[in-house]
Structure formats: C-alpha cells, structure tokens
Amino acid sequence: MKHVEVLIIGAGPAGLSAADVLLEAGAEVALIDRSDRPGGQLTKQTHMFFGSQEHYASKRGIEILHVLYDKIKDHPRLHMFSETTVAGLYPDRVVACVSGQRYFTIQADIIIVATGASEKSLPFENNDLPGVYAAGAVQTLMNVYGVKPGDKVLMVGSGNIGLIVAYQLMQAGVKVPVLVEAAKTISGYHVHASKIRRLGVDIRMRTSIKRALGTDHVEGAQIWQLDARWQGIAGTEETIEVDTICLAVGLSPLTELLQQLGAEVIYINELGGHVPRLNEKFETTVEGVYACGDVAGIEEASSAMIAGKIAGLEAALKQGYALEDAQARQAALHTSLKTLRSGPHGEKIRKGHARLGART
Amino acid sequence: MDNMNPKEIVICRCSDVTLADLFALFEQGYRTFEELKRIKRVGMGPCQANTCGKMVQWEIAKYFDIPLEEALFHNLRPFTLGIKLKHIKEGSDT
C-alpha cells in the first residue's frame, strides 16, 4: 500500500488552501478530487466576490481558483489525483480510491476532509420529470460546459445561489419570469435580489412549487401560496409557462466519509445538516482526521479558504513542522473567519456554531 | 404539502420510492431511515442518500412530530460508489 504524509480529499477552496499551507511547511501532500479539474465550486463561480482584499473581493471565483491552484500545481511535493473518488475511509487512515476502473489504497498520517456539500432537493408532484434541475447543476452546465439548460426557467429559492444563478441564466439569454421563495424574506444578499428584480424577475414570497407539468419533460410549473405552517393553500394555484425548473433550496454538508470512519457528527439545521464535531484545531473526533470548508457547515468560499488554511497549519504543526509565527498566523486566521461571520448575513452561521459549541 | 398527491412525489429517484411508499411504511410503525432503507432500498442507489436523505429525514420528523435532529439518519459504510470486485482484487494485489 502506498503511503503519503498528508492526504486531502477535495480540491475546492478549502482543500487547495490547506494544501498550500502544508506544502509551504514542508509536507508531502496528496490532493484527491473526483472532478477532472480542480477548484470545486470555484470552477463555475463567474461572479465577483464581496468582502475585503484579504478575502479576494472583486475577484471572480474562477480567477481565485487560478491564484490558488497556479501557486501549488508544479510543487514537487504535491501529488494531484484528479478524476479520483474516495470510496471509503478506514481505521488507521487507510483511504480507498477509485479512478475509472482502477482501485487503490493509500495510507496517510493525516487526512483533511474538504469534500464540500451536495444540493438539497424538494418534494413536489412530478418532481422526477426531466427538466427539473438543482441550481448548482444548472450553473455547471452553463458556466463550465457552455450548455443552456432551457429557454424559460422557474427559480425556486431566494438564497444567494438562486439569485446569482437566476442572473447568470439571464446573462446567457435564458428567461427567468418568476422566482418563488417559501419564506417571508429574501434569504440572500438584497443587492443580488434587486438586480434581478430590475431585470424583470417577478419575486414571489411565501410561495412554492406544487407540481411540475408535462409528461416527458417540463412544460410548465404550478406554484401556490403557503400559509404560516408552510402548507400550500388550495385555490391559490397558478400555472407558469416554463421548460425548466431550477431548485436552489440549500446545501447539505458531505459528511459521508467522516461518518464511515465513525467521526462524530451532530445535526445542526443552521449549518445545513450533519456536521462533524471539531476541536479548536479543526480536528474531528478521530485523531489525525481534520475537516474544513462546507463539509463542516455550509458557508461561503471565502470562509472555506480561511478554514482550509487553519486546518493546514494545524496539521503541519501536528506533523512537527516548525512554522514561523504559527501562533500569530492562527490568531489572525481565526480573527479573519470571525470577521466574515460578523454582520447580519453571518447570523445563521454564528447561531449554528454556537449550537454546535454548546453540544460539544 | 398536505394538499399534494404523495403518489406523485418522488423521494428517492435511484430506487423509485415515493412519499406514498414512505407513508405506508410509517403506518406500519417503521420510523427510522435505517428501517426504511432495509425495506424499500431508499438511499441505496448511486447517490447514497445524498439527494433523498434530507427529504426522508424531514418527512420522518413531520410525520412523527419530532425535531429534525431526532429523526435518526442511516448508518454509512464504504463504498460511496459502485466498484467491481475484480477491480478491488486487482488493485489490492499491487
């Protein structure tokens, strides 16, 4: 069996940032990603980031990806495994990998799990009809492969993903007549909502989808208003003529590998679902196994990059690398993460972490 | 959602399990994901419950009127995807 010092699962913003710190410290790093290109969600984020310079503000996600990856890609101590899926995690940090038809195992001193998240779905009538997509899938089709998902889209969900993907659909010449949101308020940034409103998107609050219409593919959608108990109100149905239904109803951390290993996970609604219990070093309840990025609670790429650096630094210290100013760097990173979580939009994340903290 | 037809709501696309199928099992007294999985194969397809998992959990919580965190999730074991035994043997020999 092969051995590697540090194995990172997921080459998204968190994994790439962790790899960078570990390579700089002197470690040998294997970076595994199931996609054919590194970057995770950054590969399709054509919008500019908010925040400060330190958080890559006003850079687009795809540009940030190049900054992160170009810095490490030719490093002699980096072993990049693309189109490789981690199929299983076993005790003693044995990692089972699959690439095409090839199966192999690697044993690692340290594992950093940066697997990100998967998209949530929604129960409604006829919801398995072709033409019903998750928003991330639509974004991948358009921004990575240059394929339009349809001509007229109903967007479900007003989080930042729903708002941004609605805008990007319109940039691609796709019509988005209506966006429905089950809650009373817009859940993403108002600046994004205002932009698509100005472009004519009819944003309906307290409204959801009841049924996808069509037999072989989506030919329309029936929407209806919701009552205070989130139940659809009979008689309020309205038919919208669309050929695509796009679900932007949230993300859920991809903790399955951590759960295979027996790392403790706790259900925290505000963080998207099951999240690993971590100590202040971002280590899970399994020694030598760290978690960072969306897998540890749904946030944004900016926070994932900082969390990746924190996990990378801690892993390097655990391996015995003497890092200059390690303590000061850690303190600065934790402050930076706290800054990102401050403000009204960080409330849910703060609440989630407070609940997680109280239960650990 | 009370006004929707549960037979037309697909919860698990991999194993074609509808909301009506889940309700039928709830009525028989099954109330954990692990039990539902063993009987109906919900969550046992290619996505390994990454799509349906949260919906099943939500439906359990709603039906039995319990908090979401009390709706037990299923046990997760390797592998996350399908692999032929032949390839495992070949890979293990090297």
Side-chain angles (χ1 to χ4, degrees), chain A residues 4-8 18-30 75-79 109-110 112 312 315-317 319-321 323:
Chain A
V4 71
E5 191 177 0
V6 181
L7 186 142
I8 302 172
D20 179 30
V21 174
L22 279 151
L23 290 167
E24 183 206 321
E28 184 202 3
V29 176
H75 201 288
R77 272 183 279 103
L78 175 73
H79 308 280
D109 296 337
I110 299 275
I112 298 179
L317 290 173
Q319 283 300 93
Y321 291 104
L323 283 155

Side-chain angles (χ1 to χ4, degrees), chain A residues 46-359:
Chain A
T46 52
H47 61 276
M48 287 185 187
F49 279 44
F50 292 159
S52 61
Q53 286 301 317
E54 172 199 0
H55 304 129
Y56 300 101
S58 79
K59 266 199 161 48
R60 298 178 192 279
I62 39 172
E63 296 165 346
I64 299 170
L65 157 61
H66 290 301
V67 172
L68 294 178
Y69 190 58
D70 289 352
K71 192 173 166 200
I72 62 167
K73 69 176 180 191
D74 296 322
H75 201 288
R77 272 183 279 103
L78 175 73
H79 308 280
M80 184 75 207
F81 294 83
S82 23
E83 288 184 270
T84 303
T85 304
V86 172
L89 285 190
Y90 295 92
D92 300 323
R93 295 175 303 279
V94 172
V95 184
C97 305
V98 175
S99 182
Q101 301 199 324
R102 204 162 68 87
Y103 172 90
F104 57 97
T105 50
I106 306 177
Q107 200 274 330
D109 296 337
I110 299 275
I111 294 175
I112 298 179
V113 177
T115 44
S118 62
E119 294 189 90
K120 286 181 181 164
S121 192
L122 197 67
F124 56 90
E125 290 175 359
N126 234 359
N127 59 347
D128 64 335
L129 199 62
V132 178
Y133 287 90
V138 162
Q139 212 180 15
T140 303
L141 270 180
M142 286 199 305
N143 300 355
V144 179
Y145 298 106
V147 175
K148 270 204 307 188
D151 293 317
K152 221 170 173 188
V153 176
L154 167 71
M155 182 63 69
V156 182
S158 74
N160 280 328
I161 296 178
L163 299 173
I164 289 171
V165 173
Y167 181 67
Q168 291 177 352
L169 279 162
M170 287 186 279
Q171 283 181 310
V174 178
K175 291 191 176 80
V176 184
V178 179
L179 181 151
V180 293
E181 165 58 56
K184 277 185 202 158
T185 50
I186 300 276
S187 61
Y189 295 143
H190 285 238
V191 58
H192 294 316
S194 306
K195 189 156 74 175
I196 64 167
R197 242 188 201 131
R198 281 198 301 273
L199 288 168
V201 180
D202 181 4
I203 299 180
R204 309 270 191 97
M205 310 309 297
R206 272 280 182 231
T207 305
S208 190
I209 179 165
K210 182 191 184 194
R211 182 180 178 86
L213 303 170
T215 43
D216 298 327
H217 60 91
V218 172
E219 289 166 17
Q222 212 171 40
I223 58 172
W224 59 354
Q225 291 165 27
L226 302 181
D227 65 19
R229 289 169 42 249
W230 308 89
Q231 300 299 320
I233 304 167
T236 64
E237 292 90 345
E238 188 181 332
T239 298
I240 310 282
E241 200 189 299
V242 288
D243 59 13
T244 307
I245 294 164
C246 188
L247 306 176
V249 291
L251 298 168
S252 168
L254 267 174
T255 52
E256 56 184 340
L257 291 170
L258 289 168
Q259 286 173 276
Q260 286 179 7
L261 205 53
E264 188 183 343
V265 295
I266 298 167
Y267 187 89
I268 305 285
N269 206 28
E270 290 87 349
L271 300 179
H274 287 95
V275 289
R277 179 177 150 184
L278 302 179
N279 64 19
E280 71 289 352
K281 296 177 175 172
F282 289 12
E283 193 173 17
T284 67
T285 54
V286 178
E287 208 200 333
V289 178
Y290 295 76
C292 53
D294 272 2
V295 70
I298 304 303
E299 259 182 272
E300 302 207 351
S302 324
S303 338
M305 288 185 272
I306 297 169
K309 283 185 194 165
I310 295 175
L313 260 177
E314 291 296 350
L317 290 173
K318 190 173 179 99
Q319 283 300 93
Y321 291 104
L323 283 155
E324 224 176 294
D325 307 326
Q327 259 185 325
R329 278 173 73 179
Q330 283 300 52
L333 287 168
H334 281 284
T335 307
S336 183
L337 198 53
K338 217 171 166 180
T339 310
L340 276 176
R341 289 172 181 168
S342 63
H345 279 279
E347 193 191 336
K348 199 169 146 191
I349 292 151
R350 291 198 302 274
K351 213 168 131 190
H353 280 284
R355 278 187 64 202
L356 183 62
R359 303 222 2 218

Side-chain angles (χ1 to χ4, degrees), chain A residues 86-87 90 98 101 103 118 123-127 210-211 224 231-232 252 254 256 259-260 267 355, chain B residues 1-5 8-10 50 54-55 57 68-69 73 76-81 83 87-88 91:
Chain A
V86 172
Y90 295 92
V98 175
Q101 301 199 324
Y103 172 90
S118 62
F124 56 90
E125 290 175 359
N126 234 359
N127 59 347
K210 182 191 184 194
R211 182 180 178 86
W224 59 354
Q231 300 299 320
S252 168
L254 267 174
E256 56 184 340
Q259 286 173 276
Q260 286 179 7
Y267 187 89
R355 278 187 64 202
Chain B
M1 232 178 49
D2 291 344
N3 297 327
M4 286 198 225
N5 182 356
E8 292 194 53
I9 299 174
V10 175
N50 281 321
K54 289 286 169 294
M55 288 197 285
Q57 199 182 9
L68 265 176
E69 50 263 51
F73 209 54
L76 287 145
R77 306 177 184 86
F79 292 133
T80 52
L81 76 173
I83 310 165
H87 298 136
I88 296 177

